[in-house]
Amino acid sequence: MSSSRSGLSRVLVAVTVALVSVSSPCPQAWGPPGLQYGHLGQSVTLCCPGVTVGTPVFWFRDGEPRLLQGPDSGQRHELVLTQADCTDEGVYICRTVDGAVGGTVTLQLGYPPARPVVSCQAADYENFSCTWSPGQLSSLPTCYLTSYRKKTVPGVDDQRVNSSTGPWPCPQDPPGTARCVVHGAEFWSQYRINVTEVNPLGASTRLLDVSLQSILRPDPPQGLRVEPIPGYPRRLHASWKYPASWPHQPHFLLKFRLQYRPAQHPAWSTLEPVGLEEVITDAVAGLPHIVRVSARDFLDAGTWSTWSPEVWGTPSTGSLPKEILAGGQPPAGDQAQSKPEVQSQAGSLTPSEPSLQPGPQPLDHQVPLEQVAMLVSLGILSFLGLVAGALVLALWLRLRLGQKNGPPKRGFLGPIIPVDKLTRAPNL
Ligand SMILES: *[C@@H]1O[C@H](CO)[C@@H](O)[C@H](O)[C@H]1NC(C)=O
Ligand SMILES: *[C@@H]1O[C@H](CO)[C@@H](O)[C@H](O)[C@H]1NC(C)=O
Ligand SMILES: *[C@@H]1O[C@H](CO)[C@@H](O)[C@H](O)[C@H]1NC(C)=O
């Protein structure tokens, strides 16, 4: 603990004092004077404030005349409550025998700290944060001490000259939130996080081992745009940017996953683009599509990001006049046809246009290029099939004829053998 780091060390000192005073029978350091904390269900000792240790006192509950404990009890200035329950919470009054000195004690009951539940996450390759929640509610004032140290690998780190391994404080930022941040962590190092819950009744520590490359989860890509490509009714161009939290560096790249589906269809198609853009080539002509994208470390460290917000886009409807378009096209289509229409989810486009059929048939009367190509290739295929069939038929007929006319010959090559014989016969 460096004494120059005033804020945190002051907290630490205060807590140390608190911890020390917990071990003495009358904890006083938490909260205003006269406030005492006790463990529900256990024996609690109240101390009369302002009197010297051992001075005999009377004890009363505030507002009740009944004497709880007289000065002749062996406890002197202390009042012991066995198995304190919630009815014991409240204000107690103590008074010396001569009535000269008195004081009040307010008792609040709760539980000692339980080990907090801690998890850590990293949205970039240099910084990570840890968050925690109580393992059990103590209903007492609570603070958390957070620190981390670098774990050493025996044999590897031993040789390193003076590489410090901490512990260093993990600053809670902003203070009072259940979150602390480690800046400038080494990507391949292991760290041990210490989150210690402290309350007037004690402290409880949770240790968690963390390595940046295993918890890394980038933020989703930003600025996703989906645009039609004029003249291509089955294509959409999608582009996006690195998340702002991921500084673009040659050694730490992201890879991406892009998903798209027609708005009415539940199933996503997935592409794994290498760069910051992708062309979808099998969009359903005329239908609005939903597109989203997620990111992951290029070398597969950590996990995929969540999906970006979904963005809508409709493939180009070509140069078709807009009156012929079946049914209600999105209002954006009324603007210049060449202008790409990009709609966000909150945009004017409704998810299911009443006139749109659920099937994937295109709405425009123009036959798309891809379909023409498909028809042509189908035609060629069937022509080739016909030709092949005719050839097989001819061969078969020839075989049958050859078998009927000549003597039985072996196998398929029968009709060819006589030719062979004929050519050889003169040489014999
Ligand atoms: C880590 O955090 C620091 C301070 O907020 C910031 O300047 C730096 O860019 C972060 N590193 C990365 C890789 O995002
Ligand atoms: C390590 O650092 C300490 C002070 O931080 C110094 O006294 C010591 O000589 C250093 N040891 C080596 C091997 O550099
Ligand atoms: C965790 O932190 C607490 C509070 O700073 C400290 O008392 C304790 O020794 C630490 N435990 C380990 C194992 O580092």
Side-chain angles (χ1 to χ4, degrees), residues 197-213:
E197 179 176 315
V198 183
N199 79 14
L201 302 183
S204 181
T205 295
R206 170 82 64 183
L207 300 175
L208 185 69
D209 286 347
V210 159
S211 88
L212 235 173
Q213 47 115 5

Side-chain angles (χ1 to χ4, degrees), residues 127-323:
N127 307 298
F128 66 91
S129 65
C130 297
T131 53
W132 56 88
S133 57
Q136 179 197 342
L137 283 177
S138 70
S139 59
L140 293 179
T142 301
C143 79
Y144 293 87
L145 303 180
T146 45
S147 61
Y148 70 102
R149 58 166 65 240
K150 198 162 101 183
K151 283 186 74 182
T152 51
V153 183
V156 176
D157 294 283
D158 288 352
Q159 284 105 6
R160 274 196 218 160
V161 205
N162 254 351
S163 67
S164 172
T165 58
W168 304 283
C170 178
Q172 293 171 30
D173 189 23
T177 55
R179 176 175 186 268
C180 76
V181 184
V182 172
H183 286 293
E186 293 166 7
F187 194 70
W188 300 106
S189 293
Q190 281 266 338
Y191 292 92
R192 174 162 288 178
I193 310 295
N194 174 344
V195 178
T196 300
E197 179 176 315
V198 183
N199 79 14
L201 302 183
S204 181
T205 295
R206 170 82 64 183
L207 300 175
L208 185 69
D209 286 347
V210 159
S211 88
L212 235 173
Q213 47 115 5
S214 66
I215 59 171
L216 183 62
R217 189 183 202 193
D219 287 331
Q222 295 176 336
L224 175 61
R225 290 168 59 86
V226 180
E227 291 156 317
I229 303 179
Y232 290 92
R234 299 205 55 193
R235 294 193 174 190
L236 282 170
H237 177 259
S239 60
W240 55 90
K241 296 196 193 75
Y242 266 60
S245 58
W246 190 282
H248 211 341
Q249 279 236 341
H251 300 305
F252 291 97
L253 296 177
L254 290 176
K255 62 177 189 177
F256 302 97
R257 204 169 46 165
L258 178 116
Q259 285 197 327
Y260 60 99
R261 62 178 175 89
Q264 291 110 320
H265 292 240
W268 294 97
S269 305
T270 306
L271 298 172
E272 294 220 353
V274 279
L276 290 169
E277 60 180 346
E278 181 68 61
V279 174
I280 298 165
T281 56
D282 59 351
V284 181
L287 288 192
H289 285 65
I290 303 174
V291 182
R292 61 186 188 178
V293 63
S294 78
R296 186 176 185 180
D297 172 74
F298 192 72
L299 296 176
D300 283 336
T303 51
W304 284 99
S305 75
T306 56
W307 290 104
S308 69
E310 294 173 350
V311 172
W312 290 52
T314 305
S316 163
T317 48
S319 53
L320 206 63
K322 63 172 182 273
E323 312 86 60

Side-chain angles (χ1 to χ4, degrees), residues 81-106:
L81 307 167
T82 49
Q83 290 210 339
D85 63 29
C86 54
T87 62
D88 290 323
E89 284 189 317
V91 181
Y92 292 79
I93 294 168
C94 56
R95 199 176 328 116
T96 50
V97 180
D98 57 11
V101 189
T104 61
V105 177
T106 303

